[in-house]
Amino acid sequence: MTDAGALVLGIETSCDDTAAAVVRSGAEVLSSVVSSQVDLHALYGGVVPELAGRAHLELLTPVIGEALGRAAVRGKDLRAVAATIGPGLIGSLLVGVSEAKALSLAWGVPFAGVNHLEGHLFAALLDHPGIEWPVAVLLVSGGHTLLVSMEGPGRYRLLGQTLDDAAGEAFDKVARFLGLGYPGGPAIERAGAAGDGSAFAFPRPLLGDGLDFSFSGLKTAVVRAVRARPDASDPDVAASFQQAVVDVLVAKALQGAVAVGARGVCLAGGVAANGVLRGAITEGCAELGLPAYLPSMATCTDNAAMIAAAGWWQLEHVGPTPLDAGADPNLRLPLLA
Ligand code: KG4
Ligand code: ZN
């Protein structure tokens, strides 16, 4: 294997996806395997932490084996093993971190503990290696809603964040209320495709008021509207809710991009899979003459290729993570002073 010194095995187990990937030089994805636990948690309408941890224990070793096999590499060919150390569910994180440390010891290669949020930011680089800095990154997932000015790998300034629910969490809660199933984002998008996004005039929280977000009041507005009009069609409610979220996300992302003189706008995280959001950000960027960097569907949602990419960069620029470093369920994105 040529250039084996740049191969990193990435491991991601922060929530309900068990993932492993092999990436060369932080850029070339040789394999990326994601085993979703969606069916397991769908029975309960959301992620059950104890079940997630146990499922990672069962799935992780075969998923790593498949990632190595598809990439045709052996453990000893690797430059390092990288794993998500936080934020996330502690029981889930520990499975990935323990296995990564054990493999790094067994293969005699360094360990890199990666911040999951930073991983999502690196996902953009896998799809768009030629990005010009700075870019405004809208990171919208089930657990986080952050608007970040990324001045380069490892250089982040926080422009705004949610004051309550994450965008994906709002999708999940509204979908559960409407009985559309789990995960909520894709369910709302499917239902909304047949609805009218202007049927309900839901609030656009904090629109025109800085770069922070708030979604819990919007969720309450949906509940009130449906209780007031029990005959309302689910597709109309779903489409109107989705439109309200997208309007706020896009307006603030573009406002933030202009404020920092960004040379593009980038989406990251599971909600970035949403077609209405993708369309609106593309349109808004075109009006500003800025490129919109959209991740592929596979790089939006949790995966280990983004962890391997971030891990490779970290090893090159910061160094390995000591083996006594633990998982941190509340880890924050490291910001520039
Ligand atoms: O990044 P991710 O896979 O996991 C976390 O780190 O949270 O994001 C999962 C979130 C869930 O809340 C899910 O409902 C949302 O992303 N999501 C979507 C769509 N696909 C996934 N939200 C809106 N539209 C979608 N198509
Ligand atoms: Zn994530």
Side-chain angles (χ1 to χ4, degrees):
M1 167 85 36
T2 57
D3 201 13
L7 294 172
V8 173
L9 169 69
I11 294 175
E12 158 60 40
T13 62
S14 67
C15 189
D16 62 339
D17 289 306
T18 314
V22 178
V23 176
R24 179 184 279 132
S25 307
E28 188 192 346
V29 181
L30 302 191
S31 65
S32 180
V33 179
V34 180
S35 175
S36 166
Q37 302 174 12
V38 158
D39 294 344
L40 176 66
H41 300 288
L43 294 170
Y44 305 92
V47 177
V48 183
E50 288 76 11
L51 292 183
R54 245 179 284 157
H56 285 308
L57 267 179
E58 274 176 31
L59 294 167
L60 185 55
T61 300
V63 163
I64 290 173
E66 197 172 332
L68 292 172
R70 281 195 206 169
V73 300
R74 295 163 307 158
K76 291 190 188 313
D77 299 329
L78 296 168
R79 159 87 170 83
V81 180
T84 301
I85 51 166
L89 301 170
I90 186 65
S92 293
L93 289 166
L94 284 173
V95 176
V97 170
S98 311
E99 179 127 356
K101 288 179 179 174
L103 291 175
S104 99
L105 279 173
W107 292 331
V109 299
F111 164 66
V114 173
N115 183 310
H116 181 78
L117 301 172
E118 200 164 11
H120 274 299
L121 299 181
F122 269 82
L125 298 182
L126 286 172
D127 290 320
H128 305 283
I131 282 182
E132 289 184 45
W133 312 109
V135 285
V137 189
L138 179 66
L139 167 47
V140 270
S141 69
H144 302 274
T145 298
L146 300 176
L147 181 60
V148 173
S149 172
M150 186 170 176
E151 298 178 359
R155 299 180 58 78
Y156 318 115
R157 289 184 200 281
L158 185 65
L159 303 179
Q161 62 188 323
T162 185
L163 304 178
D164 41 56
D165 290 353
E169 190 180 356
F171 271 95
D172 293 335
K173 286 179 174 172
V174 168
R176 191 184 311 173
F177 170 69
L178 295 175
L180 296 175
Y182 170 85
I188 294 268
E189 185 170 9
R190 270 195 306 276
D196 172 6
S198 58
F200 290 84
F202 290 133
R204 270 59 175 164
L206 300 183
L207 192 62
D209 183 9
L211 295 176
D212 283 335
F213 304 86
S214 166
F215 294 108
S216 70
L218 173 57
K219 177 198 66 199
T220 309
V222 172
V223 172
R224 281 215 192 99
V226 171
R227 289 199 174 132
R229 276 177 51 188
D231 59 326
S233 96
D234 277 356
D236 282 353
V237 176
S240 301
F241 160 75
Q242 177 174 253
Q243 195 58 54
V245 175
V246 168
D247 284 354
V248 175
L249 291 177
V250 171
K252 290 183 186 258
L254 297 179
Q255 190 188 335
V258 171
V260 298
R263 303 177 76 175
V265 179
C266 184
L267 294 183
V271 183
N274 186 275
V276 176
L277 174 61
R278 294 167 79 92
I281 206 95
T282 304
E283 217 172 281
C285 280
E287 279 168 21
L288 292 176
L290 289 175
Y293 298 110
L294 304 185
S296 67
M297 293 298 171
T299 39
C300 298
T301 44
D302 288 348
N303 66 85
M306 67 186 195
I307 302 303
W312 180 79
W313 183 86
Q314 208 168 296
L315 282 156
E316 296 287 301
H317 296 91
V318 185
T321 305
L323 286 179
D324 59 0
D328 180 354
N330 302 311
L331 193 65
R332 301 176 82 96
L333 186 68
L335 299 172
L336 289 170

